[in-house]
Amino acid sequence: ALAFVLFNPWKTSSESAGHQVMRFQINLPLTPAPVVGASVDAISPDGRYIVYLALSNGVPKLFLRPLDKLDARELAGTENAADPFFSPDGKWIAFFSNGSLKKVSSFGGSATILTALPGYMRGGWWATDNTIWYGSINGPLSRIPADGGAITDVTTLDTAKGEVSHRFPQVLPDCKTVIYTVKTATTSTFDEAMIFAENIETHKRSLLVDGGSYGRYVAAGYLLYGRGQSLYALPFDPKSMTVSGSPVPAGDGTLGSPASGNANFTFSEQGTMLYVPYGEITEAEATLQWIDRQGRFTPLLDSVRAYGDGSISPDGKRVAMAIRAANDAVWIYNIEHGTLTRLSFGGGNCDLPIWTPDGKRVIYGIERLHSIALVSKPWDGSGPAEQLGDAQSLDGTMPAVAPDGENLVYGRQGDLWVMPLTGEMKSKQLFHSTAFKSNPAISADGKWLAYLSDESGRNEVYVVPFPSLGAKYQISTNGALAVFWTRDGKKLMYVEGLKLMEVEFHGGTAFEFSAAKKAFDIPSTTTFADVNNDGSRLLLYLQKKNDLTNAHLNLVVNWFDDLKNTLASSGK
């Protein structure tokens, strides 16, 4: 069980209508799980429970704590979860994990899958009519019955105005109005995003905020939203779908996400607010570093940016990487010259870059409506991006190219698919099983495919012959977050929590390999990018903010009263 430590408990800040406003911090003894762009906590509508994301044995999982108890309980089947939110009665928790929308009971049992979702979810809401609404990185708002069933799109992207995503829905209790955030193809930061209210029946839209995200209506009569790392409030009339007055700062800073517009605050119907305070975890400040087997860092790129997925070119002279923003882009860093050049352009996110084996091109994902397509472009920008066959609906996992350049393996709908890079370029599903499979990696001789699968209940590393499949070998036993081969073909390496493990590969007709041993310790302040050719050094993103192990949540009781006092004192 996980105990919570209270710091400055029941600290009184004001009184209103006979209600004390009380604040306290909930310390998280487990290492918090940094999640790019997603929510990490939620409070039930009745204020009795909180749920939050933390690492358990190196794997992100959800933990549920009744607020009248000191212990939290790990929720089964919530590995790699993100964006948790409660049902109106607090009996269920929905969340996104491994390419699917899932739900789990607050009282126990394992999680169940409601539907597969391409790409990433961006915010969810369980409406009072027992439907679940969710946004995505590249589509309108959708809904599904909470017991499963057909998915329905309920908003329409205004493509003439460049809209590429509707996200962070909140369905009001009468189920007639939804509030959501709009991202366009030209949005460079979510301080430029827009918040709309829409009548679900007539589809009349009202612009509420031009310059903010994550709008939330509270029964006290206000619209809350995030801008930068601050919360703001405006009086809001849900019947006319209009706001009035000027925005007013509405409390302490929260952990806003420049990558998605998420603001990481949530509240109960009675006015208890739960939020992640600004500064506990950062995804936007990192440098690019080498680390060797002795744990010594060597700076490679000191400029501080929101670096994401990365891969080293076959000749070791360049790094292709994503830089996070409201619309992610792929960049090329030339190690010899110390130059950083943008490769991808156009609306929507571009990420997941990998090199072709000859080092001449970079393959990366680019958003399309309801899917992510794969394209190929010369690394020096000397030609246009070319779409690769029917490779669509990726699960947000790095693809892999066979060493001979003949085949591409990628994640799609929870399975792995293979597509030839010549001829008709038609994809074929590889496994046809219900387990979620991701992170394909092909050996240097092209004969073996390593990947992650959650068939045992959590992600582990497996290896099969490629492309014939056949016998299957389980490599890891304590969970895994990523897997890859060294380019010299001698080692298979995988991330297990904060360790990089390796096995020696001996070749042969059967997959002969040594026992796994630790190769590196991975500092908790870093994000893994790639490994050099012989596995002697790792390429990591070192986060500028390094105090990630003492994160806490803030809880404010009777926060609605505090909000009214704040607005009254400002004259609003």
Side-chain angles (χ1 to χ4, degrees):
L2 176 62
F4 280 70
V5 181
L6 303 185
F7 294 88
N8 299 322
W10 312 114
K11 177 183 176 183
T12 302
S13 62
S14 63
E15 286 191 26
S16 175
H19 296 141
Q20 278 192 332
V21 177
M22 296 174 287
R23 305 171 185 271
F24 58 89
Q25 295 176 351
I26 303 175
N27 192 43
L28 302 182
L30 288 179
T31 303
V35 175
V36 176
S39 294
V40 298
D41 64 344
I43 189 169
S44 62
D46 60 11
R48 295 177 58 194
Y49 301 97
I50 63 171
V51 64
Y52 70 92
L53 189 65
L55 294 180
S56 176
N57 295 321
V59 179
K61 294 182 181 179
L62 292 177
F63 289 79
L64 180 74
R65 181 205 166 180
L67 283 179
D68 61 353
K69 299 184 184 299
L70 292 175
D71 294 332
R73 172 169 51 87
E74 183 179 311
L75 295 176
T78 62
E79 289 80 4
N80 303 309
D83 276 324
F85 54 99
F86 281 90
S87 62
D89 59 10
K91 294 180 179 180
W92 292 90
I93 301 161
F95 60 97
F96 177 75
S97 171
N98 290 343
S100 295
L101 176 64
K102 302 180 181 181
K103 68 177 183 179
V104 63
S105 172
S106 301
F107 304 108
S110 192
T112 58
I113 296 176
L114 294 175
T115 185
L117 296 180
Y120 289 102
M121 190 174 82
R122 283 293 179 252
W125 191 268
W126 199 311
T128 55
D129 63 358
N130 208 34
T131 59
I132 292 176
W133 294 56
Y134 59 89
S136 69
I137 60 172
N138 54 355
L141 297 183
S142 301
R143 68 182 171 191
I144 184 174
D147 295 325
I151 298 173
T152 305
D153 288 345
V154 285
T155 61
T156 302
L157 297 176
D158 190 341
T159 54
K161 294 182 178 180
E163 293 183 3
V164 296
S165 171
H166 293 170
R167 54 185 62 195
F168 311 128
Q170 181 194 19
V171 183
L172 300 191
D174 62 4
C175 293
K176 295 181 180 179
T177 305
V178 60
I179 297 169
Y180 58 91
T181 298
V182 172
K183 186 186 88 166
T184 70
T186 58
T187 302
S188 60
T189 166
F190 276 90
D191 290 352
E192 302 170 355
M194 296 172 287
I195 301 172
F196 282 88
E198 181 170 334
N199 183 295
I200 298 168
E201 297 174 346
T202 66
H203 294 290
K204 174 187 175 182
R205 296 204 308 181
S206 297
L207 177 62
L208 305 180
V209 175
D210 188 357
S213 65
Y214 206 81
R216 288 293 182 262
Y217 169 68
V218 298
Y222 302 98
L223 177 77
L224 302 175
Y225 66 94
R227 179 178 171 84
Q229 303 296 345
S230 299
L231 287 182
Y232 292 88
L234 279 169
F236 174 64
D237 180 358
K239 292 184 179 180
S240 63
M241 298 193 305
T242 58
V243 294
S244 58
S246 301
V248 174
D252 301 332
T254 65
L255 179 66
S257 170
S260 73
N262 194 302
N264 268 300
F265 70 90
T266 178
F267 45 82
S268 72
E269 293 174 349
Q270 293 77 24
T272 299
M273 181 181 183
L274 178 72
Y275 67 96
V276 181
Y278 172 61
E280 290 302 320
I281 304 172
T282 179
E283 66 191 40
E285 298 180 342
T287 57
L288 191 62
Q289 306 270 336
W290 289 113
I291 186 174
D292 63 21
R293 290 179 180 251
Q294 287 71 46
R296 295 172 299 202
F297 281 101
T298 302
L300 184 61
L301 179 56
D302 284 333
S303 60
V304 177
R305 304 286 289 270
Y307 301 116
D309 309 306
S311 62
I312 304 168
S313 62
D315 62 9
K317 295 181 179 181
R318 300 172 188 86
V319 180
M321 68 182 80
I323 295 183
R324 307 291 185 198
N327 285 298
D328 301 344
V330 175
W331 295 67
I332 303 296
Y333 178 65
N334 189 308
I335 297 174
E336 291 181 331
H337 300 155
T339 55
L340 186 63
T341 306
R342 183 166 176 169
L343 179 67
S344 69
F345 296 90
N349 290 311
C350 297
D351 50 21
L352 307 174
I354 60 168
W355 295 84
T356 55
D358 60 10
K360 294 180 179 180
R361 304 179 72 88
V362 174
I363 293 172
Y364 59 91
I366 184 169
E367 287 183 344
R368 299 284 189 258
L369 181 62
H370 282 312
S371 67
I372 303 173
L374 280 181
V375 299
S376 171
K377 187 174 182 178
W379 73 264
D380 59 3
S382 59
E386 301 174 359
Q387 183 160 335
L388 297 177
D390 63 354
Q392 294 278 347
S393 301
L394 278 83
D395 295 321
T397 183
M398 296 282 278
V401 182
D404 60 7
E406 293 293 320
N407 289 291
L408 175 77
V409 180
Y410 65 96
R412 175 175 171 179
Q413 298 171 337
D415 208 331
L416 296 181
W417 295 62
V418 60
M419 184 188 75
L421 290 174
T422 57
E424 294 186 13
M425 301 175 72
K426 297 291 185 181
S427 297
K428 180 178 70 172
Q429 190 173 355
L430 286 179
F431 291 100
H432 302 278
S433 70
T434 58
F436 183 85
K437 293 164 286 294
S438 64
N439 200 174
I442 303 172
S443 61
D445 61 8
K447 296 180 179 180
W448 302 96
L449 172 67
Y451 61 96
L452 301 183
S453 173
D454 66 356
E455 58 198 72
S456 67
R458 65 181 177 187
N459 275 339
E460 300 286 4
V461 177
Y462 297 87
V463 172
V464 294
F466 182 77
S468 60
L469 304 184
K472 180 171 62 177
Y473 304 87
Q474 182 173 341
I475 308 302
S476 66
T477 57
N478 294 312
L481 302 175
V483 60
F484 49 92
W485 303 85
T486 56
R487 291 181 177 88
D488 62 10
K490 296 179 179 180
K491 298 183 182 73
L492 177 67
M493 308 183 85
Y494 61 93
V495 179
E496 178 188 301
L498 297 177
K499 298 180 294 184
L500 185 68
M501 308 295 291
E502 65 181 5
V503 298
E504 300 284 344
F505 170 50
H506 303 306
T509 55
F511 187 74
E512 299 178 7
F513 59 98
S514 67
K517 63 180 181 179
K518 184 177 74 173
F520 291 85
D521 286 314
I522 302 177
S524 62
T525 55
T526 61
T527 301
F528 177 78
D530 203 355
V531 64
N532 70 338
N533 284 347
D534 63 2
S536 63
R537 294 197 297 178
L538 301 184
L539 190 63
L540 301 172
Y541 302 123
L542 177 64
Q543 291 150 348
K544 185 177 179 182
K545 173 74 176 179
N546 58 19
D547 183 17
L548 302 186
T549 59
N550 192 34
H552 61 272
L553 304 176
N554 283 3
L555 195 70
V556 186
V557 179
N558 294 323
W559 182 74
F560 287 173
D561 296 305
D562 196 34
L563 175 63
K564 290 178 182 177
N565 289 341
T566 299
L567 296 180
S569 65
S570 69
K572 301 298 181 183

